[in-house]
Amino acid sequence: MSSSPKPCASSEAPPIRLNGLDLVADLSGALFVPALETLIVADLHLEKGSAYAARGVHLPPYDTGATLGLLREVTARYRPRTLVSLGDSFHDGRARERLHDTDIASIRALSELCDMVWITGNHDREPPDDLGGQVAGELRLGDIVLRHEPSTGLALETEISGHLHPVAAVVRRGRRVRRRCFASDGARLVLPAFGAYTGGLDVRSQSFAEVFPSGRFTVWMIGRDAVYALPSRALRYSG
């Protein structure tokens, strides 16, 4: 379980470049596309806490409010024309029933500020249709495809996805540091999970080997105060 940091554009890394576009990797885990005035987030998993509580695993019931609060802050700072959530925005098919009225109001307010698109995911194949915005299986931004699950093997088109919740680990001064990250080989870009109650999958795992078959990619690790670009060869498997 991880908690998203406060949003901040500070970065020690160059922008992520994808299909001729410069993309801004934010400390929050959001991605901004300045040329297209588009803000992209992945894997909000709203109401994950209440889903666990229903199964007898009691977590503090504040994840949805914290996630939406962070999303409001990032949106207010970048002022996007379009806001895209790359699937698994809701933790399960009954998340809508458990949303607090204040969280419903927050979502609707966001959808009034900009054009909001809910990409369907494996957790929310039918996102709620009464919260504003539009629902789509995929979305195209010029020549870039936005989808929930990354494709594998030879890349046939440039894409941005979520689903895998990437994290990376490095050793610094004898201490292992493990952080959420953006990961890209220049053809595919996988975003970190944005939700407050989301775990992570190491980018050196087999699942990512299928997404980046050459084994060569770059991660933009989210530090406490900045985002850092590192080549895959500098990483350590975090287990």
Side-chain angles (χ1 to χ4, degrees), residues 16-99:
I16 301 173
R17 192 157 183 82
L18 197 69
N19 206 31
L21 289 175
D22 285 336
L23 316 176
V24 178
D26 192 85
L27 270 178
S28 64
L31 181 77
F32 185 56
V33 188
L36 301 177
E37 298 179 80
T38 298
L39 185 68
I40 306 170
V41 293
D43 299 281
L44 306 180
H45 283 271
L46 301 177
E47 291 304 307
K48 182 175 182 177
S50 62
Y52 272 61
R55 300 202 300 267
V57 180
H58 295 287
L59 298 172
Y62 309 121
D63 56 306
T64 294
T67 300
L68 291 175
L70 183 60
L71 186 56
R72 284 197 306 272
E73 291 179 34
V74 179
T75 301
R77 187 154 46 77
Y78 286 107
R79 299 180 181 273
R81 183 179 59 196
T82 304
L83 173 60
V84 183
S85 185
L86 295 179
D88 286 3
S89 306
F90 302 89
H91 188 65
D92 58 42
R94 303 188 67 176
R96 171 64 177 84
E97 302 170 18
R98 304 192 302 274
L99 280 171

Side-chain angles (χ1 to χ4, degrees), residues 113-126:
L113 286 173
C114 49
D115 296 329
M116 195 158 188
V117 181
W118 305 96
I119 302 297
T120 56
N122 57 297
H123 279 259
D124 56 356
R125 299 187 187 281
E126 296 182 2

Side-chain angles (χ1 to χ4, degrees), residues 3-220:
S3 178
S4 298
K6 292 181 180 180
C8 175
S10 175
S11 178
E12 298 295 329
I16 301 173
R17 192 157 183 82
L18 197 69
N19 206 31
L21 289 175
D22 285 336
L23 316 176
V24 178
D26 192 85
L27 270 178
S28 64
L31 181 77
F32 185 56
V33 188
L36 301 177
E37 298 179 80
T38 298
L39 185 68
I40 306 170
V41 293
D43 299 281
L44 306 180
H45 283 271
L46 301 177
E47 291 304 307
K48 182 175 182 177
S50 62
Y52 272 61
R55 300 202 300 267
V57 180
H58 295 287
L59 298 172
Y62 309 121
D63 56 306
T64 294
T67 300
L68 291 175
L70 183 60
L71 186 56
R72 284 197 306 272
E73 291 179 34
V74 179
T75 301
R77 187 154 46 77
Y78 286 107
R79 299 180 181 273
R81 183 179 59 196
T82 304
L83 173 60
V84 183
S85 185
L86 295 179
D88 286 3
S89 306
F90 302 89
H91 188 65
D92 58 42
R94 303 188 67 176
R96 171 64 177 84
E97 302 170 18
R98 304 192 302 274
L99 280 171
H100 192 278
D101 288 347
T102 57
D103 295 327
I104 292 172
S106 291
I107 295 171
R108 287 176 174 162
L110 281 169
S111 70
E112 291 173 1
L113 286 173
C114 49
D115 296 329
M116 195 158 188
V117 181
W118 305 96
I119 302 297
T120 56
N122 57 297
H123 279 259
D124 56 356
R125 299 187 187 281
E126 296 182 2
D129 60 3
D130 64 338
L131 298 177
Q134 61 177 307
V135 176
E138 294 183 348
L139 179 70
R140 281 193 174 272
L141 290 181
D143 294 328
I144 301 176
V145 179
L146 275 56
R147 53 170 57 106
H148 177 59
E149 296 190 32
S151 60
T152 58
L154 179 66
L156 301 179
E157 54 191 352
T158 309
E159 69 177 43
I160 299 174
S161 63
H163 182 60
L164 293 179
H165 301 202
V167 297
V170 294
V171 175
R172 288 291 181 267
R173 298 177 182 175
R175 184 171 67 93
R176 192 188 71 167
V177 179
R178 184 177 186 268
R179 299 284 186 183
R180 293 181 307 142
C181 67
F182 302 78
S184 178
D185 64 354
R188 296 183 174 109
L189 169 61
V190 184
L191 268 60
F194 191 86
Y197 282 175
T198 49
L201 179 66
D202 194 281
V203 293
R204 305 292 295 187
S205 68
Q206 181 57 39
S207 293
F208 279 97
E210 296 172 1
V211 175
F212 305 131
S214 72
R216 296 186 298 275
F217 56 92
T218 301
V219 301
W220 284 259

